[in-house]
Amino acid sequence: AQKVTQAQTEISVVEKEDVTLDCVYETRDTTYYLFWYKQPPSGELVFLIRRNSFDEQNEISGRYSWNFQKSTSSFNFTITASQVVDSAVYFCALSEASNTGNQFYFGTGTSLTVIP
Amino acid sequence: GAVVSQHPSRVICKSGTSVKIECRSLDFQATTMFWYRQFPKQSLMLMATSNEGSKATYEQGVEKDKFLINHASLTLSTLTVTSAHPEDSSFYICSATDKNTEAFFGQGTRLTVV
């Protein structure tokens, strides 16, 4: 069963618009970690955020914000005032504490295109 | 912060040859490293778990004789794609975990088999 679901395959927005990328996860662990990574065309994974399951506080970092809701098993990512440089594929990922060594389960990714 | 170095970043090889990809943790020891594969426009899928000093654990559907993993030291894991074929062309990326259970990813290797 898919542990991380990113229902949006591709999104296009016009520059300066806000955009929210959805992420829904599934786990039986009570301790787990959620991540967002950005993957530009070059391929490397750029770490954006890590959140543990006991910290439901929403986080804001510049134009980025994250909404973690355990009740709906969601960890959504919002980019405010999008810019062309935000164009990339974004992956949501889950790591379970019961898995030693931090194996990651990745969602299928959302390809974001910001149109100038 | 911790760094994981993956080499090479790009490789083109002829069909039938073998290619070795290295994954190094530069400033920490990693007892466990993971190898992922990503086909174009798809997600990253775990191929295998590499454990220092023991045999790797492969995910279902991954041929262990084709994708040889060696984790001979606490800072180095290698993935060798043996007798590569065009369908093995993909983006391969490793990750390593430090003592604080933080995971760090390498830069990835884009393999093209011609």
Side-chain angles (χ1 to χ4, degrees), chain B residues 2-52:
Chain B
V3 176
V4 172
S5 176
Q6 190 173 336
H7 179 81
S9 57
R10 287 180 178 273
V11 59
I12 300 173
C13 71
K14 290 186 177 180
S15 188
T17 61
S18 295
V19 173
K20 180 184 284 188
I21 303 170
E22 294 186 347
C23 180
R24 292 180 185 273
S25 54
L26 296 185
D27 53 359
F28 66 98
Q29 294 182 330
T31 53
T32 303
M33 292 185 178
F34 296 95
W35 287 96
Y36 296 84
R37 178 169 56 185
Q38 183 183 29
F39 291 110
K41 297 187 182 294
Q42 294 189 25
S43 187
L44 292 90
M45 300 300 293
L46 180 68
M47 296 176 66
T49 303
S50 171
N51 301 299
E52 187 268 336

Side-chain angles (χ1 to χ4, degrees), chain B residues 92-106:
Chain B
Y92 294 86
I93 192 165
C94 67
S95 76
T97 305
D98 70 1
K99 63 179 180 179
N100 296 320
T101 70
E102 290 277 351
F104 301 91
F105 286 87

Side-chain angles (χ1 to χ4, degrees), chain A residues 10 33 35 37 39 41-45 50 91 100-109, chain B residues 32 34 36 38 42-44 46 49 59 91 93 95 97 100-103 105-107 110:
Chain A
E10 295 182 356
Y33 304 90
F35 302 79
Y37 285 88
Q39 188 180 44
S42 54
E44 79 272 20
L45 290 177
R50 161 181 155 141
F91 288 98
T100 58
N102 270 11
Q103 172 187 337
F104 276 61
Y105 299 95
F106 286 90
T108 48
Chain B
T32 303
F34 296 95
Y36 296 84
Q38 183 183 29
Q42 294 189 25
S43 187
L44 292 90
L46 180 68
T49 303
E59 295 299 299
F91 186 70
I93 192 165
S95 76
T97 305
N100 296 320
T101 70
E102 290 277 351
F105 286 87
Q107 304 94 321
R110 198 168 300 279

Side-chain angles (χ1 to χ4, degrees), chain A residues 8 20 30 32 35 40 45-46 48 57 62 65 67 80 87 93 101 114:
Chain A
Q8 305 147 308
T20 295
T30 55
Y32 53 89
F35 302 79
L45 290 177
V46 178
L48 297 179
Q57 204 168 18
S65 62
N67 186 331
T80 303
S87 297
V114 181

